[in-house]
Every structure is written in structure tokens, then in C-alpha cells.
Amino acid sequence: MLRIGGRTAEFLGWLYQDLGDFRAAGYWSDRAMEWAQEAADNHMQSYVLFRKSHQAASQVNAERTIGLARAAQRVPSLTSGISALAAQQEATGYALQRNPKAALAKFDEARELASLPTANDPASTLDTSYCTPAYIEMQRANCWIDLGDPLRAVQLFEDEIAALPQIYRNDRGVYLARLARAYGKAGEPEQGAETATKALAIAAQTGSARTLAELAAVSRAVGSRQSVPAVATFIERFQIVRDRFAA
């Protein structure tokens, strides 16, 4: 029961994070950690630390992102998938600190771990199958924006989004929004607006606060170019969707 409760609480934490409610996300992640500790579930303890690191990164707290990711990697007997997730979170923290050398080295480590075959472990029912080399590269692409190379981010996003399975609809919206932000940073407002409009169509259905936050950044980046038809269309539609979810 503790294991089931821990996994349910972790999932609730993720759902609240995607809705932008970090207080509720933190509450449920803390409950997941408590129950995982009571159940002596090492895999879940590490995964919750990864999740809390992810929450810290979403709030642009580099030090907490790195500290929690390192703690996740210190848990014994981890699967390669959980280790890869924690390693890429540490890399994300370094990118937030504008430390490209440390970030890229840790992303390389995470990609290598994600490439390893994952053996079925009866002691763990955590599904980390989404943590593939392509997933790691999408996280790297997002960090290239923070590291000041949006054109490299664009190339990585374009390559990896094209291969993303259709089942990952919510994630596709997030990645398209980040691609649009990269285009905006690279001085390509029309391409950015067109890509952002695709992401907006998904966000209008999912209500993902992560996607809407990325699109708000795109809106600010291209807002001065509303003489471009694609930009004007995106800004108008974005305001409608944003107001609907704010109501």
C-alpha cells in the first residue's frame, strides 16, 4: 500500500507541476518521499528527488536543481533510466548557472546512461521508458537557449521532435513551444510564431502551464513584430487561450 500510495502521490505531484501549482506539487512530492522511505523503496526515493529537482528548475532555482539531482544520484542500486534522469537534471542546473562545460559533460553522461539496455527489475514498477537518448537531447536543446546558442537549440529540437511518438502529445506541445522560443531568440520571429501557434493548439486542449509559460516568453520575444502576419495571428490566439485559462 505504501508503494502504491507513493506512486500515486508522485503522479499527482507531476500533474500539479504541469498545471503550474508548485505548492500542491511540492506537497504531493513530499508525501511520495515519505511513503517511499517507509516502504524502503530506493528507486522511488531517487525518482522523487529527480522530480523535485525538475520542479526547482521550472522555478529557475539552479542551486536547488543541482543539489536535489545530486542527491537523487547518491541513492544506491539505481537503474540506468533513473540515473540518466537525475544526471540530466544536474546538467540543467549547470545550464541555469551558465556553466556550459559542466552542463554538456553531464548531458553526455545522461545520454550514455539512457542508451544502456534497461533490464526488468521486479523491485521497481517505475516506468522510465520515456528517458531515451532523444529525450536527453531535447533537454540539452532547451539548455542551449539558456547557454546563448539558440540556433543549435533549433537544430536539435527540429531533429528530435520529428521522431517523437504521437502518444507524447502534451510533451510535444512543450517542445514545440521551446522550439518557438529558440526561433525567437535566434531572430526568426515568423518561424517562431508559426511554431508557437502549433504548440498553442495543443495547449488549448491540455491546459499545460509549462507550455503556456514557454509561449508567454515567445509572445514577449516577438511582440514587437506584429506587422508580420504570423506573429499577429499567434499573439491574438495566445491572448484568447491565456485569458480562458486565467479565468
Side-chain angles (χ1 to χ4, degrees):
M1 289 300 294
L2 286 169
R3 286 176 179 268
I4 293 171
R7 281 152 178 70
T8 303
E10 188 283 319
F11 185 58
L12 285 169
W14 163 239
L15 290 177
Y16 275 113
Q17 180 184 346
D18 196 52
L19 290 171
D21 188 340
F22 288 100
R23 183 176 180 178
Y27 171 85
W28 284 109
S29 293
D30 287 344
R31 300 293 77 69
M33 178 58 79
E34 289 177 11
W35 293 332
Q37 289 173 330
E38 285 188 68
D41 188 342
N42 286 343
H43 291 93
M44 192 62 187
Q45 290 178 55
S46 180
Y47 194 79
V48 174
L49 287 166
F50 148 72
R51 176 65 64 213
K52 289 172 74 67
S53 175
H54 196 280
Q55 292 167 8
S58 297
Q59 298 173 87
V60 200
N61 188 329
E63 289 72 20
R64 185 167 171 79
T65 299
I66 294 168
L68 289 166
R70 286 176 174 171
Q73 293 169 81
R74 287 195 295 268
V75 175
S77 305
L78 294 178
T79 65
S80 58
I82 297 175
S83 295
L85 288 168
Q88 65 85 22
Q89 274 305 122
E90 185 177 346
T92 298
Y94 292 136
L96 290 173
Q97 289 182 330
R98 304 296 193 272
N99 184 343
K101 183 177 180 180
L104 295 175
K106 206 66 185 179
F107 273 124
D108 289 344
E109 178 185 332
R111 181 186 173 89
E112 184 176 348
L113 287 165
S115 301
L116 296 174
T118 302
N120 291 326
D121 184 351
S124 175
T125 58
L126 285 170
D127 180 12
T128 59
S129 61
Y130 66 90
C131 185
T132 62
Y135 172 86
I136 299 299
E137 290 308 302
M138 259 181 310
Q139 311 315 308
R140 191 198 302 261
N142 188 52
C143 289
W144 273 122
I145 305 175
D146 294 325
L147 293 171
D149 196 341
L151 286 176
R152 188 171 295 190
V154 165
Q155 186 60 59
L156 266 177
F157 274 128
E158 290 280 13
D159 291 344
E160 302 301 342
I161 290 174
L164 188 69
Q166 291 296 323
I167 192 173
Y168 295 121
R169 181 168 177 77
N170 191 36
D171 287 339
R172 180 180 294 277
V174 174
Y175 297 145
L176 283 170
R178 290 174 176 172
L179 171 59
R181 184 161 64 92
Y183 272 123
K185 290 280 188 179
E188 298 283 351
E190 183 172 15
Q191 191 67 42
E194 290 176 353
T195 305
T197 300
K198 295 176 184 177
L200 186 62
I202 298 174
Q205 297 178 345
T206 64
S208 171
R210 290 187 302 152
T211 307
L212 291 173
E214 295 285 352
L215 292 175
V218 176
S219 177
R220 292 190 294 271
V222 304
S224 62
R225 303 293 298 276
Q226 292 195 51
S227 59
V228 178
V231 173
T233 298
F234 163 65
I235 295 293
E236 179 183 0
R237 293 180 181 176
F238 174 69
Q239 289 173 346
I240 292 171
V241 173
R242 180 195 59 190
D243 292 346
R244 190 212 314 167
F245 285 105

